[in-house]
């Protein structure tokens, strides 16, 4: 199909480089089956990884070029070029899966996922600094022990954080309980004060009514006393005035006594 594609010289050059890399990948994986040493297998995988990284870059460049020429090509040519791109992506993904299988076989548990750009992802340089397959068994054991120690330390720190959180929660609950009880006492005291104020208001009103009643009684008694005194004074001043009645319990005024003189020579019987 590739020989029947209508491509510009630039696209055709990129396409040829991709196909050359695919042939190199196929030959490399065939050689990998004949290598028994783990270190040599790791080195061979590194070289194949570089080839896959180069294939990804070329596929991206191929995609950019066909998009730039999309307006100048017929629709059928554009469809063929896009189909060819998808075919190359699938072929690269097959090599990626094959690399993953070999990495598991030689004991490397660090897997790279090819999912960027044109549908695949190539391991970065930082991820390939040290392959697990290049480490000795003792180094692997030490690395695993170190990881386990770091995990235990992280767990202990998490336990401490949880313990501190529980203590803070307990203290907060105790503080809230004390504040709730204090607020309850304050409410009770306010109720008692309100009741006392209400009783005091009632007592003040009662005392006011009693004072008003006592004043009325005293005023009435004062008027009675004044009236009695006035009658007595009038009686004394005008004893023969019949219009003024005698005061009950008060003796009437003594009438003027006249001395009777007997004439000389008269005898009393």
């Amino acid at each position: 199909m590739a020989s029947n594609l209508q491509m510009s010289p630039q696209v055709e050059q990129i396409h040829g480089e991709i196909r050359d890399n695919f042939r190199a990948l196929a030959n490399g994986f065939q050689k990998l089956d004949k290598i028994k040493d783990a270190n040599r297998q790791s080195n061979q995988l590194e070289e194949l990884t570089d080839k896959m990284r180069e294939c990804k870059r070329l596929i991206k460049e191929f995609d950019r070029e066909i998009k730039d020429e999309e307006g100048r090509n017929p629709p059928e040519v554009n469809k063929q070029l896009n189909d060819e791109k998808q075919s190359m992506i699938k072929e690269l993904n097959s090599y990626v899966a094959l690399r993953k299988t070999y990495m598991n076989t030689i004991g490397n548990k660090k897997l790279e996922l090819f999912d960027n750009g044109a549908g695949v992802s190539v391991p970065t340089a930082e991820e390939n600094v040290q392959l697990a397959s290049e480490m000795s068994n003792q180094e692997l054991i030490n690395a695993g022990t170190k990881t386990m120690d770091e995990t235990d330390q992280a767990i202990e720190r998490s336990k401490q954080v949880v313990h501190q959180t529980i203590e803070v929660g307990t203290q907060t609950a105790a503080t809230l309980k004390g504040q709730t009880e204090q607020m309850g006492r304050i409410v009770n005291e306010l109720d008692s004060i309100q009741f006392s104020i209400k009783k005091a208001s009632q007592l003040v009103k009662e005392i006011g009514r009693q004072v008003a009643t006592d004043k009325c009684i005293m005023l009435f008694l004062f008027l009675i006393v004044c009236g009695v005194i006035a009658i007595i004074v009038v009686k004394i001043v005008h004893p023969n005035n019949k219009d003024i009645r005698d005061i009950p319990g008060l003796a009437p005024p003594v009438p003027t006594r006249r001395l009777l003189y007997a004439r000389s020579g008269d005898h009393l019987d």
Side-chain angles (χ1 to χ4, degrees), residues 99-116:
R99 177 182 180 276
K100 177 180 177 181
T101 301
Y102 277 101
M103 290 179 68
N104 289 332
T105 302
I106 63 177
N108 187 359
K109 304 302 181 182
K110 184 178 181 180
L111 306 178
E112 295 87 354
L113 298 177
F114 295 61
D115 56 359
N116 292 330

Side-chain angles (χ1 to χ4, degrees), residues 39 45 54 63 106 124 170 181 223 226:
N39 290 331
L45 280 176
E54 181 65 16
D63 183 58
I106 63 177
T124 60
T170 303
E181 292 176 353
L223 293 176
C226 291

Side-chain angles (χ1 to χ4, degrees), residues 53 70 103 113 120 173 177 181 198 203 205 243:
R53 184 182 296 112
E70 188 174 3
M103 290 179 68
L113 298 177
V120 295
K177 182 178 179 181
E181 292 176 353
K198 185 177 180 180
L203 183 59
K205 291 179 181 179
D243 295 331

Side-chain angles (χ1 to χ4, degrees), residues 163-181:
H163 183 67
Q164 293 175 357
T165 303
I166 292 175
E167 289 181 352
V168 172
T170 303
Q171 294 176 358
T172 303
T175 303
L176 290 175
K177 182 178 179 181
Q179 292 178 352
T180 302
E181 292 176 353

Side-chain angles (χ1 to χ4, degrees), residues 1-25:
M1 179 179 175
S3 60
N4 297 328
L5 290 175
Q6 297 179 6
M7 304 180 188
S8 64
Q10 181 68 22
V11 174
E12 186 175 0
Q13 181 182 356
I14 296 172
H15 183 267
E17 293 179 4
I18 294 173
R19 286 301 170 187
D20 291 340
N21 280 282
F22 280 160
R23 283 190 292 270
L25 286 171

Side-chain angles (χ1 to χ4, degrees), residues 136-149:
S136 64
N137 292 334
Q138 186 61 38
E139 289 175 341
L140 289 172
I141 292 173
N142 293 337
T145 303
K146 182 179 179 181
T147 302
M148 291 176 63
D149 292 338

Side-chain angles (χ1 to χ4, degrees), residues 52-264:
M52 285 185 282
R53 184 182 296 112
E54 181 65 16
C55 285
K56 178 190 174 182
R57 185 188 66 80
L58 291 171
I59 290 174
K60 285 185 176 181
E61 189 173 350
F62 181 85
D63 183 58
R64 285 195 296 268
E65 291 294 334
I66 63 175
K67 286 182 178 178
D68 291 340
E69 298 178 0
E70 188 174 3
R72 299 189 296 270
N73 294 330
E76 294 180 358
V77 174
N78 291 330
K79 183 178 183 303
Q80 291 176 355
L81 292 175
N82 285 319
D83 291 341
E84 179 64 14
K85 182 190 71 173
Q86 295 298 327
S87 175
M88 291 187 294
I89 291 174
K90 290 179 181 179
E91 188 172 355
L92 179 58
N93 284 332
S94 66
Y95 287 120
V96 170
L98 187 60
R99 177 182 180 276
K100 177 180 177 181
T101 301
Y102 277 101
M103 290 179 68
N104 289 332
T105 302
I106 63 177
N108 187 359
K109 304 302 181 182
K110 184 178 181 180
L111 306 178
E112 295 87 354
L113 298 177
F114 295 61
D115 56 359
N116 292 330
V120 295
S121 175
V122 175
T124 60
E126 291 80 3
E127 293 174 337
N128 291 319
V129 172
Q130 182 180 11
L131 292 174
S133 60
E134 296 177 355
M135 300 170 63
S136 64
N137 292 334
Q138 186 61 38
E139 289 175 341
L140 289 172
I141 292 173
N142 293 337
T145 303
K146 182 179 179 181
T147 302
M148 291 176 63
D149 292 338
E150 291 175 353
T151 303
D152 292 337
Q153 292 175 2
I155 292 174
E156 289 298 325
R157 289 193 297 269
S158 300
K159 287 182 179 179
Q160 292 178 0
V161 171
V162 171
H163 183 67
Q164 293 175 357
T165 303
I166 292 175
E167 289 181 352
V168 172
T170 303
Q171 294 176 358
T172 303
T175 303
L176 290 175
K177 182 178 179 181
Q179 292 178 352
T180 302
E181 292 176 353
Q182 185 177 3
M183 291 179 65
R185 290 192 298 268
I186 292 173
V187 171
N188 293 333
E189 291 176 359
L190 289 175
D191 292 338
S192 300
I193 293 173
Q194 185 178 3
F195 179 77
S196 300
I197 292 174
K198 185 177 180 180
K199 293 295 291 183
S201 298
Q202 294 177 353
L203 183 59
V204 169
K205 291 179 181 179
E206 187 67 25
I207 292 173
R209 286 194 294 267
Q210 291 179 358
V211 170
T213 303
D214 292 341
K215 287 183 178 180
C216 292
I217 293 173
M218 292 178 65
L219 179 60
F220 182 72
L221 291 176
F222 176 75
L223 293 176
I224 292 174
V225 171
C226 291
V228 171
I229 293 173
I231 293 173
I232 292 173
V233 170
V234 172
K235 273 291 195 179
I236 293 173
V237 174
H238 302 286
N240 296 324
N241 191 349
K242 301 300 182 180
D243 295 331
I244 301 174
R245 297 182 180 181
D246 295 334
I247 299 174
L250 183 65
V254 179
T256 305
R257 294 182 177 181
R258 296 179 180 180
L259 296 178
L260 299 177
Y261 298 94
R263 295 179 179 180
S264 31

